[in-house]
Amino acid sequence: MTVRGPKTTPDLLHAVFDTIDEGIHVVDLNGYTIYYNKVAAQLDGVDASEVIHKHVLDVFPSLTKETSTLLQVIKHGTPIYYQKQQFANVRGVLIDTINTTMPIYQNNKMIGAVEISKNLSEIKKLSEKLVELQEQINKKDVPSKKVTSKNSTTFHFENIITNNDKLKHLKQMAAKVAKTTSPILIYGETGTGKELFVQSIHNASIRQKSPFIAQNCAAIPASLLESILFGTTKGSFTGAVERPGLFELAHNGTLFLDEINSMPIDLQAKLLRVIEDGIVRRIGGTKGIQCNVRIITAMNEHPTHCVEAARLRQDLFYRISVVSLHIPPLRERKEDIELLSTHFLKKYNERFGKTVNSIHKSVQTLFQQYNWPGNVRELEHTIESAMNVVEANIILEEHLPSHLSYSSPPVNRTSTSFRDEVEKFEKNLIEKAFQENNQNILQTAKTLNIPRQTLQYKMKKYRITK
């Protein structure tokens, strides 16, 4: 980072930095603090007066020259991005942050380093509480009737109601693979009922009486997800305790990883290793722990698109998709809309103590015309919303949420889908660039600004050859 531009008074800069909701810590080349904003003081649990003009290691004695990101940047002159750090302040309070640390240059000479910090302490506490609750739930001395975990399974295949032939076939296939131990990948749009299938598979398997652990990979910061999955060893980092991860807690049961395409690529490599050999090593530990876990994963995008976009490792995709199930969106199985509407009507009659017995034909027509971007979940919420305001025994258009009651009928579709048109355009673009670059794959990839592996994958997909 180079300091340039018009001269600015220090008071003005301090006022600006104190309005930023991230901690800012600036040190000179000797490691002494020359600026420390209010948010940094709040994050670190100290007063600014205790830090200014003092050495980093004097204020944070649990750090060393090797573990302090500020001192490492000063030593090597290279930035450190999104580094998780745990340390104790002068009062012995443990602090968890994620930091970006950069050298400061003036006239091409390094004069210090700046660190921008975000607080992870509260998120980490919540994540650890989740693991502790899972551990308590899985103890043998806890009666099953007292288990109220969000991750306890309640759905079976009979709960998946449908008139759609494709979904009926999918249920039959899922019931068959439930009897095996192979990894399963379930993909489909948000709200299609992926977890319904996941829980049904677990409850139809020989693992039904063993733990079912579910974790959304997008719900926890990447820096904490590894310790949540694999556990920690006491002393592996400051304040670390001996704690099992979700793999250990799911031993002999099922581990469901939702939105796995949100998992960092480097962590995907570690996950692949664990799936391959069934051995977990806690963070900081050297001892391998054998875990017998069935892995079920899910994502709300097409997996090949995630592989192409480098958000899902190709080798991991092959491993977790031994069995692959695609849940179709509601707009592709509109014969289920009336069936599901009646089911939700009965459900909320019982819940709200009402006697609504029908849905007006105009509402049913609107339901058939609507595109349902939120799928079955949106349909259920629509019925629930109407049941809150209906007073008679029939749901009318006036009882529907405004965004749905005023939606216009969809434009007539042509026989060619949007995806077909996109793929046609993509194929033509690649063919043209391939010819213009004398059928040189590397040069074509550079022209299209995509990785060479991605180009080769697409050429194979569209059967483009020399």
Side-chain angles (χ1 to χ4, degrees):
M1 187 171 76
T2 305
V3 178
R4 291 176 180 170
K7 188 175 181 181
T8 308
T9 64
D11 289 342
L12 178 59
L13 283 176
H14 290 182
V16 171
F17 289 157
D18 279 339
T19 63
I20 297 174
D21 62 354
E22 295 174 328
I24 299 177
H25 190 175
V26 183
V27 298
D28 62 18
L29 286 178
N30 296 314
Y32 285 86
T33 300
I34 56 178
Y35 180 74
Y36 192 72
N37 75 344
K38 291 180 180 178
V39 176
Q42 293 169 358
L43 292 180
D44 296 341
V46 294
D47 293 324
S49 59
E50 300 176 82
V51 183
I52 294 291
H53 305 312
K54 293 184 179 178
H55 196 275
V56 172
L57 300 184
D58 292 335
V59 183
F60 306 106
S62 66
L63 294 176
T64 65
K65 291 181 180 179
E66 288 71 32
T67 59
S68 168
T69 45
L70 279 166
L71 297 183
Q72 282 297 301
V73 166
I74 290 172
K75 180 179 179 180
H76 299 289
T78 55
I80 298 175
Y81 296 101
Y82 307 114
Q83 174 72 49
K84 177 190 171 187
Q85 191 168 46
Q86 184 179 72
F87 54 90
N89 62 22
V90 288
R91 297 184 180 87
V93 178
L94 284 176
I95 310 296
D96 285 276
T97 59
I98 185 164
N99 307 329
T100 291
T101 315
M102 297 175 288
I104 302 174
Y105 287 92
Q106 189 172 47
N107 298 325
N108 296 321
K109 181 180 179 182
M110 187 167 67
I111 61 172
V114 58
E115 186 161 86
I116 302 169
S117 304
K118 286 181 176 290
N119 188 11
L120 282 179
S121 299
E122 292 304 314
I123 299 175
K124 185 172 183 290
K125 287 177 185 177
L126 290 172
S127 301
E128 290 178 345
K129 187 65 177 175
L130 169 66
V131 176
E132 288 171 3
L133 288 172
Q134 293 283 8
E135 189 175 9
Q136 291 172 17
I137 287 166
N138 292 327
K139 286 182 179 177
K140 292 182 180 179
D141 57 349
V142 178
S144 60
K145 64 181 181 180
K146 292 185 179 180
V147 175
T148 56
S149 165
K150 179 181 177 182
N151 291 332
S152 59
T153 55
T154 56
F155 298 112
H156 298 75
F157 282 118
E158 55 263 32
N159 299 122
I160 304 174
I161 56 175
T162 181
N163 284 326
N164 180 265
D165 290 337
K166 185 176 181 180
L167 203 60
K168 286 179 181 178
H169 174 72
L170 209 60
K171 282 178 62 177
Q172 293 171 354
M173 182 177 176
K176 289 179 182 177
V177 301
K179 309 302 180 184
T180 71
T181 59
S182 298
I184 300 173
L185 170 63
I186 299 178
Y187 64 98
E189 295 178 10
T190 299
T192 49
K194 295 186 290 295
E195 187 154 357
L196 230 69
F197 271 85
V198 174
Q199 291 193 19
S200 299
I201 290 170
H202 174 79
N203 284 328
S205 73
I206 59 174
R207 300 170 183 259
Q208 58 182 283
K209 294 183 179 179
S210 298
F212 174 85
I213 306 293
Q215 177 61 57
N216 188 309
C217 298
I220 291 181
S223 56
L224 298 180
L225 186 57
E226 182 177 0
S227 61
I228 294 296
L229 288 175
F230 305 136
T232 56
T233 301
K234 187 176 182 180
S236 56
F237 52 86
T238 307
V241 296
E242 202 76 26
R243 176 175 284 116
L246 297 185
F247 267 92
E248 291 178 63
L249 296 179
H251 182 58
N252 289 329
T254 302
L255 178 59
F256 171 43
L257 299 177
D258 197 7
E259 296 193 60
I260 192 169
N261 49 310
S262 299
M263 182 181 289
I265 291 293
D266 58 338
L267 186 53
Q268 289 183 25
K270 297 178 182 178
L271 174 65
L272 176 62
R273 186 203 69 219
V274 173
I275 296 175
E276 289 283 3
D277 58 25
I279 297 175
V280 173
R281 290 177 179 81
R282 295 182 183 178
I283 294 177
T286 56
K287 184 179 71 172
I289 302 169
Q290 190 75 42
C291 291
N292 177 12
V293 176
R294 183 180 203 170
I295 299 293
I296 303 181
T297 54
M299 59 181 67
N300 55 17
E301 297 179 71
H302 198 290
T304 56
H305 295 167
C306 295
V307 172
E308 289 176 20
R311 286 185 284 110
L312 180 68
R313 287 178 61 104
Q314 193 171 44
D315 50 4
L316 178 63
F317 165 62
Y318 292 142
R319 189 69 189 92
I320 62 178
S321 62
V322 174
V323 177
S324 185
L325 304 176
H326 174 228
I327 314 297
L330 185 58
R331 63 181 174 273
E332 292 181 9
R333 48 187 178 103
K334 290 201 169 182
E335 63 268 40
D336 282 345
I337 292 176
E338 186 173 351
L339 177 67
L340 290 167
S341 298
T342 303
H343 168 73
F344 295 136
L345 194 67
K346 180 181 177 181
K347 174 180 177 178
Y348 288 103
N349 267 324
E350 294 173 356
R351 183 172 295 184
F352 297 158
K354 292 191 173 185
T355 56
V356 180
N357 55 32
S358 63
I359 299 173
H360 195 274
K361 286 185 178 180
S362 65
V363 174
Q364 290 287 10
T365 300
L366 193 153
F367 281 1
Q368 291 294 323
Q369 293 175 339
Y370 187 59
N371 205 38
W372 298 108
N375 292 292
V376 179
R377 183 183 294 129
E378 184 184 6
L379 175 61
E380 179 176 1
H381 292 167
T382 298
I383 299 294
E384 181 183 2
S385 175
M387 290 291 287
N388 271 275
V389 296
V390 65
E391 294 179 348
N393 61 355
I394 184 170
I395 291 179
L396 305 173
E397 285 190 52
E398 63 191 61
H399 300 133
L400 301 178
S402 58
H403 77 275
L404 190 136
S405 58
Y406 289 107
S407 63
S408 56
V411 177
N412 290 332
R413 296 181 180 177
T414 63
S415 58
T416 304
S417 70
F418 174 76
R419 180 174 294 174
D420 290 339
E421 287 297 314
V422 170
E423 290 184 345
K424 181 179 177 181
F425 174 79
E426 189 175 60
K427 179 183 179 182
N428 290 337
L429 190 66
I430 292 172
E431 286 179 331
K432 182 180 178 182
F434 192 47
Q435 295 304 322
E436 289 177 351
N437 287 281
N438 298 318
Q439 299 187 356
N440 183 297
I441 291 179
L442 182 60
Q443 194 57 43
T444 303
K446 289 181 179 179
T447 301
L448 295 172
N449 195 25
I450 59 175
R452 178 176 54 82
Q453 295 88 342
T454 301
L455 175 62
Q456 290 175 319
Y457 169 83
K458 290 181 179 293
M459 289 179 66
K460 183 178 179 181
K461 175 182 176 181
Y462 298 132
R463 299 180 181 177
I464 301 173
T465 58
K466 291 186 177 181

